[in-house]
Amino acid sequence: MNSTKAIITSVGHYVPPDVYDNHYFEEFLDTNDQWIRERTGIIERRFAKDGATSDLAVPAIKMCLDRRGLAPEDIDCIIVATVTPDMFFPSTACVLQEKIGAKNAWGFDLSGACSGYLFALATGAQFIESGTHKNVLVVGADKMSSIIDFEDRNTCILFGDGGGAVLLEPSEEEGYGLLDFDLHIDGAGEPYLHMRGGGSLNPPTQESVANKLHYVFQDGKAVFKEAVIGMADTTERIMKSNNLAPEDVRWLVPHQANLRIIKATADRIELPMENVMVNIDKYGNTTAATLPICLSEWWENGNIAKGDNLILATFGAGYTWGSGWLKWAY
Ligand code: UT7
């Protein structure tokens, strides 16, 4: 049996410099800091004043490669999880390949909404484990400010812009890397969280713009109920099937959509919150970027060590959801 596993060998992230705290929204919406904090856990987020999603990814990729001492030419494949690609085509992977000068890489974008990063990580790991690739860059980046309606208090307060990247490489050292994953989709979730405009279903017209079809729509309550169940279920399942007890888990790395969803997941697996990565207070929901930003920040602060068990958990539009078990390798 092939014993090669995909390990993470470097991490990087980027958030734009401009900070928007909850009070910013009080100026033009019927909302307030207390409501946002108590219902979501968000205190502030970053919005990029200009540029595209690829501009959030480039600094994250550079940090990731610099930390590993690799050149862009060393990359074999770039996988980009995003719901805000620079354009429909070419892919943001192509845009990034050109921008960073990864002359030897192929790549593609992957659409999995808030679970996109986990789906991309699992996909990248297959190329490593099959033995065909040596350096796979897995990027998660979203410029959510480009698709949120700043007149809709139900959604605009939730999101932020950011990017993250990890490098996957092969390892023969037993028991390290992405050891298991549990991934799901359920298209019945589409009515509750979507952006219907701009695709072949609703090509852009003056009417589609007037009807705000090019913005995120979310029925928050409906998604919340499913997210609490879905994220906790998949997390519990991956721990049980790998005989992991709460004390075996150094970090739960949850998608950062709502602090109450994160706490419900931690409660279900009986994990204290000091073992849970939380930065929603600083960045809000950056969609495909939440997981790699967490990994990069926690690593940067010296809080992840070789041998640590990490459980990744996500839930998002689709619905999409899943979990992954990662044994940190460096
Ligand atoms: O990342 C992708 C997956 N997405 C998620 O996981 C998000 C899941 N959903 C949520 O996180 C929560 O449902 C929200 C944070 C979006 C909303 O929290 P909630 O506790 O479910 O509030 P709600 O939607 O039930 O709204 C409660 C009240 C409503 O007023 P009424 O109908 O009770 O009079 C809303 O209109 O709060 C009102 N409301 C607001 N009030 C002040 C909604 N948004 C705001 C706001 N400020 N920004």
Side-chain angles (χ1 to χ4, degrees):
M1 214 180 83
N2 182 4
S3 62
T4 304
K5 285 286 171 199
I7 58 167
I8 291 179
T9 56
S10 191
V11 286
H13 72 283
Y14 174 78
V15 288
D18 292 298
V19 178
Y20 294 76
D21 66 15
N22 293 339
H23 298 290
Y24 164 74
F25 296 95
E26 293 173 351
E27 290 167 23
F28 55 91
L29 284 176
D30 180 15
T31 188
N32 58 77
D33 175 53
Q34 192 190 350
W35 191 97
I36 300 172
R37 279 181 196 239
E38 287 176 359
R39 299 291 178 118
T40 70
I42 300 166
I43 297 172
E44 58 190 39
R45 74 287 290 144
R46 310 294 182 97
F47 292 136
K49 287 213 162 96
D50 43 35
T53 292
S54 63
D55 297 304
L56 301 167
V58 166
I61 294 171
K62 285 193 169 147
M63 182 188 279
C64 179
L65 293 181
D66 285 350
R67 283 173 170 171
R68 181 70 179 133
L70 285 185
E73 293 82 1
D74 296 323
I75 304 302
D76 304 323
C77 178
I78 306 170
I79 306 176
V80 184
T82 187
V83 295
T84 52
D86 284 22
M87 55 193 118
F88 263 169
F89 66 88
S91 68
T92 306
C94 290
V95 174
L96 285 171
Q97 187 249 15
E98 169 66 12
K99 279 192 175 177
I100 65 170
K103 291 187 181 63
N104 301 310
W106 72 289
F108 56 93
D109 291 3
L110 186 153
S111 171
C114 292
S115 303
Y117 199 74
L118 186 60
F119 290 9
L121 206 59
T123 304
Q126 307 310 303
F127 291 116
I128 297 286
E129 290 182 16
S130 68
T132 56
H133 291 64
K134 293 279 177 256
N135 294 310
V136 175
L137 199 57
V138 184
V139 179
D142 270 304
K143 189 183 178 194
M144 294 305 292
S145 61
S146 67
I147 57 165
I148 52 181
D149 176 3
F150 281 87
E151 291 178 348
D152 178 10
R153 68 176 185 172
N154 292 295
T155 51
C156 71
I157 52 111
L158 300 172
F159 295 99
D161 299 340
V166 312
L167 188 68
L168 291 178
E169 291 185 57
S171 170
E172 303 300 331
E173 194 175 359
E174 206 174 319
Y176 289 91
L178 185 61
L179 299 178
D180 195 10
F181 49 80
D182 175 55
L183 308 176
H184 303 269
I185 64 171
D186 180 359
E190 188 274 345
Y192 310 106
L193 181 50
H194 56 244
M195 189 182 86
R196 287 185 178 153
S200 52
L201 179 66
N202 296 298
T205 58
Q206 288 187 356
E207 202 188 352
S208 75
V209 173
N211 290 332
K212 300 195 167 192
L213 296 189
H214 303 275
Y215 290 131
V216 174
F217 168 85
Q218 176 170 251
D219 175 343
K221 216 186 265 288
V223 178
F224 186 90
K225 279 187 200 151
E226 295 298 328
V228 164
I229 297 166
M231 218 158 101
D233 278 355
T234 180
T235 306
E236 191 177 52
R237 196 177 308 130
I238 203 153
M239 285 178 61
K240 277 198 174 140
S241 61
N242 291 290
N243 297 316
L244 291 166
E247 53 273 22
D248 298 324
V249 176
R250 179 70 186 94
W251 293 113
L252 173 66
V253 193
H255 171 54
Q256 311 279 312
N258 188 312
L259 187 57
R260 289 181 291 145
I261 299 173
I262 295 172
K263 282 185 173 157
T265 304
D267 276 356
R268 173 82 82 83
I269 58 168
E270 296 173 7
L271 194 71
M273 283 304 287
E274 62 255 32
N275 294 98
V276 183
M277 293 189 189
V278 175
N279 60 13
I280 189 173
D281 51 322
K282 293 191 295 180
Y283 305 135
N285 181 353
T286 56
T287 305
T290 59
L291 262 48
I293 292 175
C294 279
L295 293 175
S296 179
E297 281 199 333
W298 262 254
W299 181 84
E300 189 173 271
N301 294 328
N303 290 322
I304 313 179
K306 183 168 181 176
D308 283 351
N309 286 310
L310 275 59
I311 299 292
L312 282 52
T314 63
F315 191 93
Y319 296 124
T320 57
W321 70 104
S323 59
W325 172 30
L326 194 65
K327 173 93 80 176
W328 203 258
Y330 77 104

